[in-house]
Amino acid sequence: MTWEILSIIGTVAFAISGAIVAMEEEYDILGVYILGIVTAFGGGAIRNLLIGVPVSALWDQGMLFHIALFAMTVIYLFPQKMLPHWQRWGNFFDALGLSAFAIQGALYAAKMGHPLSAVIVAAVLTGSGGGIIRDLLAGRKPLVLRAEIYAVWAILAGLAVGIGAAHSPIRLYILFMIVAALRILSYTYNWKLPNKSLKAKAS
Amino acid sequence: MTWEILSIIGTVAFAISGAIVAMEEEYDILGVYILGIVTAFGGGAIRNLLIGVPVSALWDQGMLFHIALFAMTVIYLFPQKMLPHWQRWGNFFDALGLSAFAIQGALYAAKMGHPLSAVIVAAVLTGSGGGIIRDLLAGRKPLVLRAEIYAVWAILAGLAVGIGAAHSPIRLYILFMIVAALRILSYTYNWKLPNKSLKAKAS
Amino acid sequence: MTWEILSIIGTVAFAISGAIVAMEEEYDILGVYILGIVTAFGGGAIRNLLIGVPVSALWDQGMLFHIALFAMTVIYLFPQKMLPHWQRWGNFFDALGLSAFAIQGALYAAKMGHPLSAVIVAAVLTGSGGGIIRDLLAGRKPLVLRAEIYAVWAILAGLAVGIGAAHSPIRLYILFMIVAALRILSYTYNWKLPNKSLKAKAS
């Protein structure tokens, strides 16, 4: 049950974030739905691939499609006065998707008895897959690779699951909310990690 | 049999469209073959993933390789007086690939008893996969997301299959030709969908 | 055993090449690890997909993670006086990954009894997958499609395996070293293939 709810949250959140990016990039109405669907189900397909579920299992989730389509339609018809805040909303839904899918990836790897390092990598790759597909298709550098703190929170999700700190449904929901909240805080207050540049040092 | 013929049409058409894009981007001779092969088999791999066929089944299709290689060689040696029309030819072969793979995706999802919405999404993702890979590798925005009518025709293919309007081989071939013809008409006469831009409205 | 050693060489080499590209693109410390991991395991995931191994088998390779993480840390802490040569080092590790994964792809396709053309295509797609993912995520055109000789050496690996010239472990290691060395020579001395440009001829 927890698993299904995380799937729904992750898929719908990525669908909305893809739709918002498509509107920012001035795609037509169908481009908005397409980028939303590709982000949501591309992210889900990468998750399925990485955790060993057949990708074609996606088609069984008819309800999920309808929720995602409905959510994108609401976003498309959103009142215009909210528009200046949409980049923030895009990041908000991306954070929900990241958190939900990262926890799923970590849960899968932990259940299979993989070592902690594999659980963490599974969390990062599963959580960031949807956003990577969205950003590549929109011609942007993937959010996970740009200068904000992003993957750290997926690592945290992997760590919490990997050390067994989130074994009950209620703890998983709390972990989901913590990870999403930390991601939201990190772009709101523009937290950064140190970077080491070849160019800067070479010059 | 219909399924195999659609596979051959789709694979060869995407191989040629990849080769043409590679020549437009001024890649060397090997780049032309590589982008053609990656487009054809990347599109086929995405189709296989989405419809639950092992991706490694691609290697059994030795004849398909030879047809694709032969077709790309013909395109590479094409008389130069045809060159000014090659972007149109690229779109032509892309339309054939889109139509063939969209119908395959829809047929699979319908046969598995999935709801109509899933059949339509399967048609769109399966049909556009090859072109998405080609355009990403060439550093272009995917055709399916740019401002022309593209995905509408894959949706039409999904709809026709999903409501059971194309249950015989002859009807499937007619559907294939209608979908490809509509796509060709839409870029020839530059049909467009309305778009809703965040930037335009925010300013 | 040979297979495992080629896996380790390919995965670690792609991890390092991803980390170097990330430092060239001025990503932060986590971006360096993420691009390294995504390159290494994305390349491995594409290899697994293409040769019919479940992608989730990646998570069993705990030791491989640790080696890759250790190698990326060493690269990250590398003395600054080596920096001007890092593009060359990036190409060096990419060549190792290309050679190792191309041979694996060819071995798989040959073992399954596929025709020579399929063995060659398997070598090219398996060998170039990791580099394609790395370059797409870094916003670059894939190395395999740019104007240097790259895929030729993967084709050579496929040919050697396909005609049965590399049936013993020692011959496979020699083939690995020859393919990697030829790739290194081709960028060191800037070997090129002829190219046929649409734009140049159309004008």
Side-chain angles (χ1 to χ4, degrees):
Chain A
M1 187 61 196
T2 317
W3 183 270
E4 278 75 31
I5 288 175
L6 288 175
S7 286
I8 293 171
I9 293 173
T11 305
V12 173
F14 275 131
I16 295 174
S17 86
I20 290 176
V21 166
M23 283 187 278
E24 285 177 350
E25 298 283 332
E26 312 216 357
Y27 291 164
D28 64 24
I29 177 169
L30 204 65
V32 171
Y33 282 102
I34 297 282
L35 191 58
I37 289 284
V38 171
T39 302
F41 292 95
I46 286 183
R47 182 203 55 197
N48 284 6
L49 264 182
L50 290 172
I51 70 179
V53 171
V55 171
S56 51
L58 287 174
W59 311 115
D60 291 325
Q61 304 175 303
M63 192 190 64
L64 210 47
F65 282 116
H66 293 284
I67 299 176
L69 286 173
F70 176 75
M72 287 189 287
T73 304
V74 170
I75 288 292
Y76 193 77
L77 301 174
F78 221 64
Q80 294 190 29
K81 59 182 174 180
M82 294 296 286
L83 287 175
H85 309 291
W86 269 15
Q87 195 186 355
R88 191 151 292 191
W89 282 104
N91 278 320
F92 172 75
F93 286 108
D94 182 85
L96 299 185
L98 167 72
S99 182
F101 279 4
I103 291 172
Q104 285 193 322
L107 279 176
Y108 164 80
K111 201 176 63 181
M112 292 288 139
H114 296 317
L116 183 59
S117 56
V119 174
I120 290 174
V121 173
V124 173
L125 296 186
T126 316
S128 58
I132 286 176
I133 287 183
R134 179 196 61 222
D135 292 340
L136 282 182
L137 290 178
R140 302 177 171 190
K141 275 202 182 168
L143 203 52
V144 67
L145 292 172
R146 278 184 264 152
E148 302 159 88
I149 294 184
Y150 187 95
V152 171
W153 311 125
I155 290 172
L156 183 73
L159 200 62
V161 171
I163 62 174
H167 45 75
S168 68
I170 187 74
R171 289 190 173 205
L172 284 172
Y173 290 127
I174 291 172
L175 177 63
F176 164 73
M177 283 185 282
I178 290 174
V179 169
L182 284 169
R183 168 69 193 129
I184 291 162
L185 286 171
S186 65
Y187 67 75
T188 305
Y189 296 105
N190 202 20
W191 295 346
K192 286 195 186 304
L193 284 175
N195 72 321
K196 172 169 182 172
S197 150
L198 276 185
K199 283 174 197 153
K201 284 184 171 159
S203 64
Chain B
M1 187 60 197
T2 317
W3 182 269
E4 278 74 31
I5 287 174
L6 288 176
S7 285
I8 292 172
I9 294 172
T11 305
V12 173
F14 274 132
I16 295 175
S17 87
I20 289 175
V21 166
M23 282 187 279
E24 286 177 349
E25 297 284 332
E26 312 216 356
Y27 291 164
D28 64 25
I29 178 170
L30 204 65
V32 171
Y33 282 102
I34 298 283
L35 191 57
I37 289 284
V38 171
T39 302
F41 293 94
I46 287 183
R47 181 203 57 198
N48 284 6
L49 264 182
L50 290 171
I51 70 180
V53 171
V55 170
S56 52
L58 288 173
W59 310 116
D60 290 325
Q61 303 174 303
M63 191 190 65
L64 211 47
F65 281 119
H66 293 284
I67 299 175
L69 286 173
F70 176 75
M72 288 189 287
T73 304
V74 170
I75 290 293
Y76 193 76
L77 301 174
F78 222 63
Q80 294 189 30
K81 59 183 175 180
M82 295 296 286
L83 287 174
H85 309 290
W86 268 14
Q87 195 186 353
R88 192 151 289 193
W89 281 105
N91 278 320
F92 172 75
F93 286 107
D94 182 83
L96 298 185
L98 167 73
S99 181
F101 279 4
I103 291 172
Q104 285 193 322
L107 280 176
Y108 164 81
K111 200 177 62 181
M112 293 287 139
H114 296 317
L116 182 59
S117 57
V119 174
I120 291 173
V121 172
V124 173
L125 296 186
T126 315
S128 58
I132 286 176
I133 287 182
R134 178 196 62 222
D135 292 340
L136 282 182
L137 291 179
R140 301 176 172 191
K141 275 201 183 169
L143 203 52
V144 67
L145 292 171
R146 276 184 265 153
E148 302 159 86
I149 295 184
Y150 187 96
V152 171
W153 311 124
I155 290 171
L156 183 73
L159 200 63
V161 171
I163 62 174
H167 44 75
S168 68
I170 188 74
R171 289 189 172 207
L172 284 172
Y173 290 126
I174 292 171
L175 178 62
F176 164 74
M177 282 184 283
I178 291 174
V179 169
L182 284 168
R183 168 66 195 134
I184 290 163
L185 286 172
S186 65
Y187 68 73
T188 304
Y189 296 105
N190 203 17
W191 295 346
K192 285 197 186 303
L193 285 175
N195 71 321
K196 173 169 182 171
S197 151
L198 275 185
K199 282 173 196 153
K201 284 184 170 160
S203 64
Chain C
M1 187 60 196
T2 316
W3 183 270
E4 278 75 30
I5 288 175
L6 288 175
S7 285
I8 293 172
I9 293 173
T11 306
V12 172
F14 275 132
I16 295 175
S17 86
I20 290 176
V21 166
M23 284 187 278
E24 285 177 349
E25 298 283 332
E26 313 215 356
Y27 291 163
D28 64 24
I29 178 168
L30 205 65
V32 171
Y33 282 102
I34 297 284
L35 190 57
I37 289 286
V38 171
T39 302
F41 292 95
I46 287 183
R47 182 204 55 197
N48 284 6
L49 265 181
L50 291 172
I51 70 178
V53 171
V55 171
S56 52
L58 287 174
W59 310 116
D60 290 326
Q61 304 175 302
M63 191 191 64
L64 211 46
F65 282 118
H66 293 285
I67 298 175
L69 287 174
F70 176 75
M72 287 189 288
T73 305
V74 169
I75 289 292
Y76 193 76
L77 301 174
F78 221 62
Q80 294 188 29
K81 58 183 174 179
M82 294 298 286
L83 288 174
H85 309 291
W86 269 13
Q87 195 184 354
R88 191 151 290 191
W89 283 105
N91 277 321
F92 172 75
F93 285 108
D94 182 84
L96 298 186
L98 166 72
S99 181
F101 279 4
I103 291 172
Q104 285 192 322
L107 280 176
Y108 163 81
K111 200 176 63 182
M112 293 288 139
H114 296 317
L116 183 59
S117 57
V119 174
I120 289 173
V121 173
V124 173
L125 296 186
T126 316
S128 58
I132 286 176
I133 287 182
R134 178 196 62 221
D135 292 340
L136 283 181
L137 291 179
R140 301 177 171 190
K141 276 203 181 166
L143 203 53
V144 68
L145 291 172
R146 276 183 266 153
E148 302 159 87
I149 294 184
Y150 187 95
V152 171
W153 311 125
I155 290 173
L156 182 74
L159 200 62
V161 171
I163 62 174
H167 45 75
S168 68
I170 188 75
R171 287 188 174 206
L172 284 172
Y173 289 128
I174 291 171
L175 179 62
F176 165 73
M177 283 185 282
I178 290 174
V179 169
L182 284 170
R183 169 66 194 134
I184 290 163
L185 286 171
S186 65
Y187 68 73
T188 305
Y189 295 105
N190 203 19
W191 296 347
K192 286 195 187 303
L193 284 175
N195 71 321
K196 173 170 183 173
S197 149
L198 276 185
K199 282 173 197 153
K201 285 184 170 159
S203 64

